Amino acid sequence: MASTIRLGYEITNKSGYVLVLDVDGTKYVEKHGNLNKMTMVAIIGVCVTFMFKSSPQVDVDRLHDEVCSTSTNENEEEECVDFKGNPADMSKTGGWVAAGLILGTELSERICVIGIAMNLVTYLHGSLHLSSSKSANIVSNLMGTLNLLALFGGFIADAKIGRFLAILIFSSICALGMVLLTLTTTIHRLKPPSCDTSGGWKCIEATGSQLAMLYIALYMVALGGGGIKSNVSGFGSDQFDKSTPEDEKKMVYFFNRFYFCVTIGSLFAVTVLVYLQDKKGWGVGYGVSAGTMGIAVFLLLCGTRFYRYKKPKGSPLSVIWRVVFLAWKNRRLSYPNHPSLLNGYDSSKVPHTEKLRCLDKAAIMARNEENDDLWIVSSVTEVEEVKMVINLIPIWSTGILFWTIYSQMNTFTVEQANIMNRKHGRFNIPPGSFSFFLFISILLFTSLNERVIVPFAQRITNYPKGLTSLQRIGIGLVFSVAGMVAAAICEIRRKSDMKNGVKTNAFWLVPQFFLVGAGEAFAYVGQLEFFITEAPEQMKSMSTGLFQTTLAMGFFVSSLLVSLTNMATHGNWLKNNLDQGELNNFYWMLAILGVFNFFGFLILASRHQYKSQHYEKEIETRRIDDI
């Protein structure tokens, strides 16, 4: 008769995780300061192997040795220090005061970035007289660069300067960029003359020198915003002690309030700021953003003595570059007869796999070489972690088109609103303010997810989270396709009304904002959860950066598609005057691409093996081989 084995863990106030192994009613307790998920999965794999073997006895001492051998100082909680570099006094540093000052930076970043993104196309097309497609590409490239620079900001913080200094520097850059943008939109010599309506509608496009100052200002904001985005959530979470249940609960509230600040900042930008830009002048709107960021930098500095700091310990990107470099360097070497001959095989925290075997050459140690030189030989752990990152790329690629579709909400959709009937009573709604419905939809479906959809899905799937991360992404992709269908139908209706001499009510744009917003509520959470949970344990800090590159590529692909569409249609689809173009065809094209992308996602998702499943399988296989 097989032994009954139960494995679990409890969280205590002081000891961290307490491992409880129950073998036929006899409990064995093993304490570990902070037992990480990888160790837990390793133990589960060992226990599964024992059950499959139907062994009447369990070698608990051997299991104890295996558990202890996987626990290293690298997984222990990093020591927090104060602003002088001394061990932090937990009673005087961190907590909500410090976290609140940090959240102010994120609030200001959202006000600046969204205040630019959601209405910039109106300024470019209306004040600088750029073409619709060129204006859309400038906005898409700006947002793509901002999200790509988030990876750079995270790398600099992790490798060299730490999160606080990174936030301070990038916030200052963002503030300076906003000041420069305010001057650019205020000084008349930096703008072309107004359109001449006397002999027909003649407009002079902004010159290269006039655009140069604008580009410098915009990309300074992009650099600052990207650096803030990649570090502020991590630095905020550093203000709470993860080893205590009280602070662990506070951290959950911190992330809720973090998202609240993101949303409030975005709503403020698309309502108050956009109104100021349209009614009081662009300089006034951007000046308010600059002042907000300046105040945030000041408050951040005021909290210097209240923060808890963690010293930079190097970026995971360095590990990736090193493994790829060594694998290429050793490409002519022969594979060893058995993987156990690879450097660090026995002490590896990650099971060795046969996938992407070419990278194993990074762990081949030539004769007379020292295995402690990181740039001579990598360990099996590092190689396998890089393999895990590469295995995320297929799912990563299917998320790009979602953000390509999303980017239309602050480019062509804003241009549609600009030529539609935006009057509500006596009030003329600014075109950029219709993005309000996008963020309201995000908030609505985020709330529905927690209160309705997840509990309902739990009853159907018996899965604790209700929906897996990949299922959430899939639902988001479906909503994005529906959003483009709604956008195409709206444009057809608008052009039909235009031919009859009627201006279509701009509220016809609400369905596409609503559907794409619902898609973001699913896709954003699903993608972020996927990258965080599926990334290697030692590379968690780059998971957010990897997610941000999906957004960046989505905006860049949008710009590429606009350019290719103009070339293929000789500019007939995307004209300066939307009444003369075929914008609906562009939306239909995105919807069709979205359908193909969705089916590609289904194929890749069905083949994806979650990290926990993969570990259990590999550990069980290794265990059987050893026995």
Side-chain angles (χ1 to χ4, degrees), residues 61 82 88 109 137 153 167 191 202 226 303 312 328 368 380 393 396 481 485 603 618:
D61 292 333
D82 60 18
E109 184 269 337
N137 281 353
I167 295 172
K191 295 183 289 184
K202 296 181 180 179
W328 173 257
N368 302 322
V380 170
I393 292 178
W396 172 89
V481 172
V485 171
I603 294 172
E618 292 296 333

Side-chain angles (χ1 to χ4, degrees), residues 525-571:
V525 175
Q527 288 178 352
L528 190 58
E529 179 187 352
F530 176 79
F531 289 121
I532 288 176
T533 57
E534 295 300 294
E537 291 294 326
Q538 301 302 318
M539 295 189 179
K540 291 288 186 185
S541 61
M542 70 166 289
S543 56
T544 304
L546 189 62
F547 167 63
Q548 294 294 337
T549 59
T550 312
L551 279 73
M553 292 304 299
F555 284 105
F556 287 138
V557 168
S558 175
S559 181
L560 177 64
L561 284 177
V562 169
S563 300
L564 293 176
T565 300
N566 275 331
M567 291 173 57
T569 65
H570 304 288

Side-chain angles (χ1 to χ4, degrees), residues 125-147:
H125 186 58
S127 298
L128 300 187
H129 312 145
L130 304 182
S131 66
S132 296
S133 57
K134 187 174 182 179
S135 299
N137 281 353
I138 289 174
V139 176
S140 296
N141 290 336
L142 173 69
M143 297 305 295
T145 303
L146 186 148
N147 285 287

Side-chain angles (χ1 to χ4, degrees), residues 475-531:
I475 294 172
L477 294 179
V478 171
F479 270 116
S480 68
V481 172
M484 285 299 94
V485 171
I489 294 173
C490 175
E491 178 63 8
I492 293 172
R493 161 103 187 203
R494 189 194 66 79
K495 292 187 67 177
S496 176
D497 289 347
M498 179 268 300
K499 291 178 181 178
N500 295 326
V502 178
K503 265 193 172 185
T504 306
N505 194 305
F507 282 92
W508 275 91
L509 296 171
V510 172
Q512 62 203 64
F513 279 115
F514 188 81
L515 290 168
V516 174
E520 183 181 354
F522 284 98
Y524 189 101
V525 175
Q527 288 178 352
L528 190 58
E529 179 187 352
F530 176 79
F531 289 121

Side-chain angles (χ1 to χ4, degrees), residues 183-323:
L183 295 175
T184 302
T185 55
T186 303
I187 300 174
H188 292 292
R189 284 184 295 179
L190 297 177
K191 295 183 289 184
S194 301
C195 294
D196 182 11
T197 59
S198 58
W201 196 266
K202 296 181 180 179
C203 300
I204 299 175
E205 186 174 304
T207 63
S209 58
Q210 290 172 330
L211 289 175
M213 186 69 73
L214 177 69
Y215 286 147
I216 292 172
L218 291 176
Y219 282 94
M220 282 181 68
V221 175
L223 175 60
I228 295 170
K229 185 186 294 287
S230 58
N231 290 293
V232 70
S233 60
F235 187 51
S237 65
D238 288 344
Q239 308 311 308
F240 303 98
D241 185 2
K242 303 179 183 68
S243 63
T244 63
E246 182 181 357
D247 268 18
E248 192 171 20
K249 185 182 295 185
K250 287 180 180 178
M251 194 180 300
V252 175
Y253 289 115
F254 168 78
F255 284 108
N256 288 337
R257 292 173 187 181
F258 173 81
Y259 190 74
F260 177 78
C261 287
V262 169
T263 306
I264 291 299
S266 300
L267 289 175
F268 178 83
V270 299
T271 52
V272 177
L273 277 186
V274 169
Y275 175 80
L276 290 175
Q277 291 165 3
D278 278 27
K279 303 300 180 182
K280 303 299 181 181
W282 296 98
V284 174
Y286 290 138
V288 171
S289 298
T292 303
M293 182 53 71
I295 293 172
V297 173
F298 175 75
L299 292 176
L300 184 70
L301 282 171
C302 288
T304 302
R305 63 175 57 249
F306 300 113
Y307 301 134
R308 296 173 187 170
Y309 305 85
K310 291 183 179 179
K311 297 178 180 179
K313 290 191 173 182
S315 171
L317 287 175
S318 302
V319 177
I320 297 176
W321 308 142
R322 187 168 65 247
V323 169

